[in-house]
Amino acid sequence: MTPDPSKRKTFTGYHAAAMIVAFFAVVVAVNMVMARFAVSTFSGTLVDNTYVASQKYNTWLEEARKQQAHGWTSSKVIRLQDKVAMTVMKADNSPLQDAEIMAIAEHPVGRAEPIILHFVGDQTGTYISRGVLPEGRWKLRITITHRGNKMALAQEVF
């Protein structure tokens, strides 16, 4: 049995245009979704100028060795209501008391101005920020100073 030529559907310019528009609509939609994910999850650059960073690399390694020699350890920074807290211990696992701790909180994508936080410690080695940190994801660059010794940390808090 042969099909009736009068009932055969023809492929028209409308069909071709609809297929092309549908194809590009899918491509644009996928690109928009991927761009949104990239912008919302990218935490920024590690260094602004890699050449300058390479010149300072050995200095950074020496500072890291000095930092490890102190034997200090710190807990992960956590949120306490609208403030942040961390615990710092000495090499013998006793609390590091009377340290000066300062942190610069930066929004990972630069949506807010950096916030400088100063911390107050107690006898257990727990330090709580004096200032408040707004909700959201923040990158903290922390500097701990105690009797001329320094320790630098970078942590994220959500």
Side-chain angles (χ1 to χ4, degrees):
M1 188 187 288
T2 59
D4 184 7
S6 64
K7 292 186 180 180
R8 187 187 228 182
K9 293 188 178 184
T10 59
F11 187 76
T12 64
Y14 172 77
H15 294 108
M19 286 175 58
I20 291 171
V21 168
F23 171 77
F24 282 106
V26 169
V27 169
V28 168
V30 169
N31 283 340
M32 301 266 295
V33 168
M34 293 299 178
R36 186 195 177 293
F37 286 150
V39 169
S40 66
T41 60
F42 181 61
S43 62
T45 58
L46 295 177
V47 292
D48 291 328
N49 185 330
T50 55
Y51 177 74
V52 172
S54 71
Q55 301 298 310
K56 297 178 182 179
Y57 183 72
N58 288 333
T59 305
W60 291 342
L61 283 178
E62 185 58 34
E63 288 174 4
R65 285 186 195 104
K66 286 180 185 175
Q67 196 169 290
Q68 285 180 331
H70 305 325
W72 300 344
T73 57
S74 70
S75 68
K76 184 163 176 50
V77 176
I78 60 168
R79 279 194 180 269
L80 290 176
Q81 288 90 26
D82 55 352
K83 298 184 179 193
V84 290
M86 64 186 296
T87 302
V88 184
M89 306 298 272
K90 293 186 205 174
D92 62 0
N93 228 12
S94 64
L96 182 67
Q97 297 174 352
D98 301 324
E100 182 180 318
I101 300 180
M102 190 268 300
I104 298 173
E106 298 172 327
H107 196 274
V109 191
R111 292 186 182 154
E113 290 296 316
I115 299 170
I116 297 175
L117 299 171
H118 295 277
F119 289 74
V120 177
D122 63 14
Q123 299 303 316
T124 65
T126 300
Y127 291 83
I128 300 172
S129 65
R130 288 187 205 142
V132 298
L133 186 66
E135 286 295 318
R137 180 179 172 191
W138 293 89
K139 219 167 26 175
L140 298 178
R141 289 187 297 130
I142 304 164
T143 304
I144 303 170
T145 308
H146 184 259
R147 296 184 184 156
N149 296 321
K150 279 190 172 184
M151 181 176 180
L153 304 168
Q155 290 191 22
E156 285 193 354
V157 65
F158 297 91

